[in-house]
Amino acid sequence: MLIRLLRTYLTPYKRPIALLVLLQFLQTCASLYLPTLNADIIDDGVVRGDSGYILSHGALMLGISLVQVVCNVGAVYYGARTAAALGRDVRAAVFDRVQSFSAREVGHFGAPSLITRTTNDVQQVQMLALMTFTLMVSAPIMCVGGIVMALGLDVPLSGVLVGVVPVLAVCVTLIVRKLRPLFRTMQDRLDTVNRVLREQITGNRVIRAFVRDTYEQGRFRKSNTELTDVSLGTGNLLALMFPVVMTVVNLSSVAVVWFGAHRIDSGGMQIGDLTAFLAYLMQIVMSVMMATFMFMMVPRAEVCAERIREVLDTSSSVVPPVAPVTGLRRHGHLEIRGAGFRYPGAEEPVLREISLEARPGEVTAVIGSTGSGKSTLLGLVPRLVDATNGEVLVDGVPVADIEPRLLARTVGLVPQRPYLFAGTVATNLRYGNPDATDEELWHALEVAQGKDFVERLEGGLDAPVAQGGTNVSGGQRQRLAIARTLVQRPEIYLFDDSFSALDYATDAALRAALARETAEATVVIVAQRVATIREADRIVVLDEGRVVGTGRHHDLMADNETYREIVLSQLTEAEAA
C-alpha cells in the first residue's frame, strides 16, 4: 500500500528524483574513494616520508570532499522539495476526497480520524520520503561499493563482512516485524485521543454545567495512558535496535583489527590498507544503520499509507451526475415521490415512501416527534444524502441529475445546528454569495432580526466570529445562518428547526419578515414548535419515517390524532383552536 501511494504521487517528479539519485551516486562514490586515497598517503607518503606526495594527494582529497559536499547539498535540496511536494499533493487529495463525501461517509470515518489522517498520517509518509531521498538512496550504493572496495584491498579479511551483514539483517528484520502492529495500534489510539480531546473542547460548557470535570479527566487520562503504553512498547523496540547494531559493529571492528594485525605481521597487508579497510567497514555499517533507521520508520509509514488509502479508495454515496443538467426553469417547484432512506447496516429505514409537494409562493411545514426523520428528509433535497429509493425533483428534474453548483444556488439550507466559520460577520454572510454588497448584507440581517445585535458589535460587519460561532449566542448564531441563506437568494428555502433558539417574539417577527422576503419562493420549514408552523399553507406530519397526514392546521386538528397529540403537548385546547 505504501509503495502504491508513493508511486502514484511521485510520478510527476521523475526528473528531480533522477537528478537527486545522480547527486547521491556522485557523493557516495566520492565518499568511497577517500579511504583509498588516505591509505595511499599512509603507505606511500607517511611511511616513505614523501611530503610532496602527501600534499598532492591531500589536495586531491580536499577537492573530492568539496565535490561530495556540493552533491550532498544538492541532493538534500531536491529531496526536501520533492518530499514537501508529495505531502502537499497527498493532503490535497485526501481533502478533495473528504469534500466529496456525504454525511454517511463522514460519519463512517469520524471527524477526528479524518483530521489525523490528513495531518499526522500524511506527515509520516512525507517524512519517510524525505529520509529515503536523503539517506536511503545512498545506503545501498555505499554498502555495495564498500564491499567491492574492501574486497579489492584484502579478500581474506573480507570474510568478516560475510558474517556481519547477514547478522545485522536478521536482527533488524526481527525487530521490524514486531514494530508494525504496534504502529497500527498507535495510530488508532492517536485517533482516540484526538476524539476525546475534541469532544471535551467542544462540550466544555456541558462538562462545566454538570460538574463532570473529574470524569472527563479520567476519560482523557485513560486514552492518553493507552497511547503512552503502546508508544513505550515501540520505543523499547527502537531503543533495542541501535545497541544491537552497535554491538555487532564493534565486534566486527575488533575482528578486523585482530585478523588485520596478523595479516600485517605476515606481510600480506599494509597498515594503510588496514586503515582503509576499517573505513570501508564503517561505511558499510553506516549504510546498514541508515537502512535500519529507515526500517524503523517504514512500519509506521506503511500503516499511515493504508489509512490514507482507505479514505482515497472510498467513493461517496452521493455520485455527481455523468451528464449534469446545467439549466432549470428556476421556478423552485419541489416534489418528493415515494422517497425512502436507509443507513447501511440499519435494520429499519429512516424514511419510508415519503411523498410531498412544495410549490413557489407557499410555505410547507414538516412536523413530527423526535427521530421521525424530518432532518433526513430535508437532507435529500440538497443531496447531503441520496434517497435509497424513490426520487426528489426540483422543477421536474431529479436532483441526482442537476449540476452540483446549480443545485447549491437553487436550494438554500439552514441546518438544525448552524455552523459559522472563523472570520468576520461579513465573510460568513457572503459564504453563499461572494459578490453581495454591504447593503444586501444589512438587508438580510434586518429580515433575519440580526441587524440590531450586529450593529452593537465592535466593527459591525467586520466584527470577528470565532470558529463555530462560539463567541455569539445560539439565537444569534441561528439568525446569522438565516441571513447567510437570504444573501444567497435561492428559489427553495429549507429551514431545519432553525428557529428553536429564538424567543417567541423574535420568532414571530422573523417569520413575518421572511414571509414578505420569500413571497415568491418555495419555503419548507421543519419545526418542533407548533406556533412556528401553524399558519403554513401545508403541514406534513411524520411518524416513524412515514407521512401520516397532510393538510392545514385546523383540518389536521380535526382529523389527525398524531398531529393533535403534538399540538396539545404544547398548547391548550383553546390556544390550538
Side-chain angles (χ1 to χ4, degrees):
M1 195 65 73
L2 177 62
I3 299 299
R4 177 186 166 195
L5 184 72
L6 293 176
R7 184 188 300 119
T8 301
Y9 290 96
L10 287 178
T11 299
Y13 306 103
K14 288 181 178 178
R15 291 184 63 183
I17 291 175
L19 182 58
L20 179 153
V21 172
L22 176 62
L23 291 172
Q24 289 282 31
F25 178 77
L26 293 176
Q27 75 95 9
T28 305
C29 289
S31 298
L32 290 169
Y33 189 40
L34 289 174
T36 298
L37 288 175
N38 187 49
D40 291 342
I41 290 175
I42 294 173
D43 293 336
D44 299 330
V46 176
V47 174
R48 298 178 181 179
D50 189 344
S51 300
Y53 190 89
I54 295 173
L55 291 175
S56 62
H57 278 65
L60 180 59
M61 288 183 69
L62 185 62
I64 292 175
S65 298
L66 182 61
V67 171
Q68 178 188 7
V69 170
V70 171
C71 291
N72 193 36
V73 170
V76 171
Y77 172 78
Y78 283 107
R81 285 181 62 89
T82 305
L86 169 70
R88 177 198 62 201
D89 294 347
V90 175
R91 273 193 302 272
V94 174
F95 178 80
D96 290 343
R97 177 65 64 172
V98 172
Q99 286 294 96
S100 72
F101 283 171
S102 69
R104 179 188 297 183
E105 287 77 41
V106 173
H108 168 70
F109 285 105
S113 181
L114 289 174
I115 292 172
T116 304
R117 293 171 197 241
T118 310
T119 53
N120 183 271
D121 288 4
V122 174
Q123 183 68 28
Q124 296 299 327
V125 174
Q126 178 181 334
M127 186 60 64
L128 175 71
L130 178 61
M131 293 296 103
T132 299
F133 294 145
T134 55
L135 296 179
M136 194 58 187
V137 171
S138 61
I141 303 173
M142 184 175 292
C143 184
V144 174
I147 292 173
V148 171
M149 298 297 285
L151 286 171
L153 288 173
D154 194 277
V155 175
L157 193 59
S158 301
V160 176
L161 301 178
V162 176
V164 172
V165 175
V167 170
L168 283 175
V170 170
C171 293
V172 171
T173 301
L174 290 176
I175 295 175
V176 168
R177 286 183 62 183
K178 292 183 176 295
L179 278 174
R180 193 180 184 284
L182 290 177
F183 279 129
R184 178 78 194 193
T185 306
M186 181 187 293
Q187 294 304 114
D188 291 340
R189 292 186 179 176
L190 185 62
D191 279 350
T192 303
V193 170
N194 195 352
R195 175 178 55 79
V196 172
L197 185 60
R198 188 168 182 266
E199 287 178 351
Q200 291 175 348
I201 293 174
T202 306
N204 182 263
R205 292 183 180 180
V206 178
I207 295 170
R208 295 291 179 84
F210 288 91
V211 197
R212 299 289 284 175
D213 304 66
T214 304
Y215 172 74
E216 292 298 331
Q217 288 171 3
R219 283 184 65 209
F220 183 79
R221 189 182 303 112
K222 180 176 181 292
S223 58
N224 194 27
T225 301
E226 289 175 346
L227 176 60
T228 302
D229 290 342
V230 72
S231 299
L232 286 174
T234 57
N236 290 336
L237 285 174
L238 294 177
L240 178 65
M241 186 174 289
F242 278 109
V244 169
V245 171
M246 291 308 300
T247 299
V248 176
V249 169
N250 292 330
L251 290 175
S252 61
S253 298
V254 171
V256 167
V257 173
W258 175 267
F259 291 112
H262 286 286
R263 293 279 297 160
I264 293 172
D265 186 56
S266 64
M269 189 179 190
Q270 294 182 308
I271 296 176
D273 290 340
L274 178 60
T275 305
F277 194 96
L278 283 171
Y280 286 127
L281 175 64
M282 290 308 300
Q283 286 183 339
I284 295 168
V285 171
M286 286 299 298
S287 66
V288 174
M289 288 187 66
M290 286 190 289
T292 302
F293 184 68
M294 289 299 303
F295 285 134
M296 292 189 320
M297 300 183 65
V298 167
R300 188 172 187 181
E302 189 176 1
V303 168
C304 293
E306 287 179 1
R307 288 158 51 88
I308 292 169
R309 289 296 338 175
E310 285 175 4
V311 177
L312 295 177
D313 293 341
T314 299
S315 299
S316 175
S317 57
V318 177
V319 182
V322 177
V325 175
T326 56
L328 297 173
R329 291 176 295 170
R330 308 288 284 177
H331 293 158
H333 184 271
L334 172 64
E335 186 178 2
I336 300 176
R337 298 177 184 170
F341 180 78
R342 180 195 297 268
Y343 285 103
E347 295 182 0
E348 297 291 334
V350 179
L351 300 174
R352 313 162 188 256
E353 297 296 323
I354 301 293
S355 296
L356 64 86
E357 187 176 5
R359 305 183 185 91
E362 295 181 352
V363 176
T364 301
V366 181
I367 194 169
S369 58
T370 301
S372 59
K374 304 184 296 298
S375 296
T376 303
L377 176 62
L378 282 197
L380 298 178
V381 183
R383 298 193 71 196
L384 299 183
V385 292
D386 271 347
T388 49
N389 56 278
E391 56 183 353
V392 180
L393 302 99
V394 171
D395 288 335
V397 180
V399 292
D401 296 334
I402 301 175
E403 196 270 327
R405 292 184 182 275
L406 175 60
L407 182 62
R409 291 196 302 269
T410 305
V411 179
L413 171 66
V414 183
Q416 188 173 13
R417 296 178 181 177
Y419 189 88
L420 300 179
F421 295 90
T424 65
V425 173
T427 58
N428 274 279
L429 296 185
R430 288 194 174 100
Y431 201 74
N433 182 9
D435 299 324
T437 64
D438 285 356
E439 290 74 17
E440 290 174 324
L441 301 187
W442 283 117
H443 175 71
L445 286 169
E446 185 176 5
V447 173
Q449 308 302 302
K451 183 177 180 180
D452 291 342
F453 87 80
V454 172
E455 286 178 333
R456 290 194 297 270
L457 295 175
E458 186 177 351
L461 290 175
D462 295 323
V465 175
Q467 181 183 3
T470 54
N471 60 334
V472 295
S473 69
Q476 291 171 339
R477 195 156 51 244
Q478 282 191 339
R479 283 177 279 174
L480 288 175
I482 293 170
R484 178 171 59 192
T485 303
L486 290 171
V487 170
Q488 183 184 349
R489 304 193 68 80
E491 277 70 44
I492 300 174
Y493 289 87
L494 306 177
F495 297 100
D496 185 6
D497 205 10
S498 308
F499 314 108
S500 58
L502 306 179
D503 58 76
Y504 280 96
T506 305
D507 184 359
L510 175 54
R511 284 187 286 110
L514 273 176
R516 295 190 296 271
E517 185 71 13
T518 62
E520 298 180 0
T522 302
V523 178
V524 181
I525 299 176
V526 164
Q528 296 280 3
R529 189 184 292 173
V530 174
T532 302
I533 55 94
R534 65 187 298 175
E535 301 300 329
D537 299 289
R538 185 182 301 99
I539 299 174
V540 178
V541 184
L542 287 187
D543 185 33
E544 295 184 355
R546 298 181 184 274
V547 175
V548 295
T550 302
R552 296 183 68 90
H553 171 73
H554 293 293
D555 298 331
L556 291 171
M557 281 295 294
D559 301 333
N560 191 281
E561 188 62 30
T562 302
Y563 182 74
R564 182 179 176 84
E565 288 178 3
I566 294 173
V567 172
L568 294 181
S569 68
Q570 301 179 31
L571 307 173
T572 65
E573 190 78 43
E575 290 172 333

